[in-house]
Amino acid sequence: MESVFDLKSAKALLEWHAELGISEAISERPINRFETKVEANLGPKTSELKDNPINTIADNPTDQAVMVTANAKNLSELKAAIENFPHCDLKYGARNAVFSAGSPSAKIMIIGEAPGREEDFQGEPFVGRAGQLLDKMLSSIGLSREARDAEKSVYITNVMPWRPPENREPTQDEIDMMVPFLKRHIELVNPNVLVAMGNISCQSLIGRRGITKIRGIWAEAFGLPVLPMLHPAYLLRNPVAKREAWFDLLSLREKVFT
Ligand code: URA
C-alpha cells in the first residue's frame, strides 16, 4: 500500500506535534492510526513469531532469552541478540537499545535500571542528569567511564536496554525476560564486582528491594560480590543521602583495589 504521506507533509505534521508540545510517545507501542488495521503496527505478528525458529523451540520469552544468549560469544553478538529479541514490548516504543558504556576490561560493572529520555536519544547509559552525578561519584574515587586502564575504568549497563514509557518501572515479566541477557553480559565482561544501582537492579540481581535498607551491604549474584547502592537519581532528589553514597563508594574502592 502506498504511504498517505509524502516527506513534506510528514515533516509538517511532526513540526505541528512539536509545537503542540508532543515530545514523547505515551503508549507502550507506536500505533499508526492512519492504517486501517491498528494491529499492523503492534510489533511482530503471531505468524511472524512462528516463522522465527527460536520461537518454536522454547515456548516462553524467558526460555527463548536463555537460548539466544547462550549463543552470544562476545559483546557485539550479545548486543545484536538484544536488538533482535522481539518479545519485550518496550523495544517498540524506544528509539534505541541502550547497551553499555565504559571499558569491558574494567573490574567494576555498574548495573542501572533502565534508560531515561536522554539515554534513549543518545543510545548510551547514564548520560542524563543522574549520569552526570554518577560520573562525579566515580571520579571521587578515581574512576571514570572514559578510562581504559583496568584500575581506573568502569563498565556500565542497565537491567533494561529500552526506555519504559514515561519512565515507569519495568514489569516483573519484562525483567524476567531480560535477566538472561544481563547474566550473559556479566559473564562476557567478567568483572570482579557488580554495583547494583537502585531497586530494580537489586530486585533483578539479588531478588531484594528496599534500597535504603540494603545499600552498602555486600551481597552475591551470579557468583560475584554485589554492592547495592542508592541510585544517583534518588541522590538528586535526596541530596542528604550523598553521605551514605560516599560510604558505599569507599567500600567499593576498598573491596576492589586493596
Ligand atoms: N537511570 C538508569 O538506571 N540508567 C540509565 O541509563 C539512566 C538513568
Side-chain angles (χ1 to χ4, degrees):
M1 199 180 89
E2 242 179 62
S3 164
V4 275
F5 283 124
D6 57 39
L7 208 59
K8 215 166 132 200
S9 35
K11 185 166 175 275
L13 179 63
L14 204 65
E15 283 166 0
W16 183 60
H17 280 169
E19 227 167 87
L20 292 179
I22 303 168
S23 58
E24 311 222 357
I26 54 165
S27 62
E28 297 278 311
R29 299 174 177 191
I31 298 171
N32 184 350
R33 297 194 188 277
F34 291 95
E35 294 210 345
T36 39
K37 281 192 178 170
V38 168
E39 67 176 22
N41 224 356
L42 292 182
K45 294 181 198 132
T46 313
S47 58
E48 286 165 358
L49 291 176
K50 283 210 192 93
D51 290 344
N52 185 337
I54 68 161
N55 300 305
T56 51
I57 301 165
D59 55 5
N60 72 57
T62 306
D63 291 347
Q64 291 188 17
V66 172
M67 271 181 44
V68 291
T69 54
N71 293 331
K73 292 184 292 302
N74 53 47
L75 291 172
S76 52
E77 286 184 11
L78 183 66
K79 184 167 186 273
I82 289 174
E83 285 164 353
N84 293 327
F85 187 67
H87 299 291
C88 184
D89 284 351
L90 298 182
K91 167 186 168 114
Y92 301 101
R95 286 180 182 83
N96 282 302
V98 175
F99 187 64
S100 71
S103 167
S105 62
K107 295 181 174 178
I108 299 170
M109 182 164 177
I110 296 173
I111 299 165
E113 303 189 329
R117 192 168 183 273
E118 268 315 303
E119 290 77 18
D120 182 40
F121 262 123
Q122 296 188 37
E124 188 177 328
F126 283 103
V127 289
R129 280 184 67 223
Q132 287 156 20
L133 177 57
L134 174 63
D135 285 338
K136 284 188 194 151
M137 291 161 67
L138 294 172
S139 128
S140 72
I141 53 164
L143 301 173
S144 151
R145 72 170 84 192
E146 312 299 341
R148 288 295 166 263
D149 164 358
E151 300 297 310
K152 295 198 173 123
S153 58
V154 288
Y155 186 81
I156 306 174
T157 191
N158 283 311
V159 174
M160 302 304 301
W162 297 288
R163 181 194 183 196
E166 298 177 87
N167 297 338
R168 68 153 168 80
E169 280 203 357
T171 64
Q172 190 60 51
D173 280 353
E174 287 161 352
I175 293 173
D176 288 347
M177 71 177 85
M178 295 318 291
V179 162
F181 290 93
L182 180 62
K183 179 171 182 278
R184 186 74 185 127
H185 206 157
I186 295 167
E187 284 166 5
L188 290 168
V189 174
N190 191 24
N192 293 18
V193 302
L194 304 172
V195 176
M197 287 286 182
N199 271 323
I200 298 296
S201 183
C202 289
Q203 180 183 335
S204 311
L205 288 169
I206 59 174
R208 293 188 63 192
R209 294 179 65 108
I211 190 64
T212 52
K213 298 240 162 55
I214 63 175
R215 58 137 280 274
I217 304 170
W218 285 90
E220 202 188 293
F222 307 129
L224 291 171
V226 183
L227 179 64
M229 278 192 67
L230 296 168
H231 194 286
Y234 175 89
L235 297 175
L236 287 172
R237 295 190 302 271
N238 302 277
V240 292
K242 285 182 183 170
R243 184 170 175 271
E244 276 81 41
W246 173 238
F247 286 127
D248 299 343
L249 287 167
L250 293 178
S251 167
L252 176 65
R253 188 173 64 180
E254 189 185 329
K255 179 95 166 177
V256 182
F257 298 111
T258 55

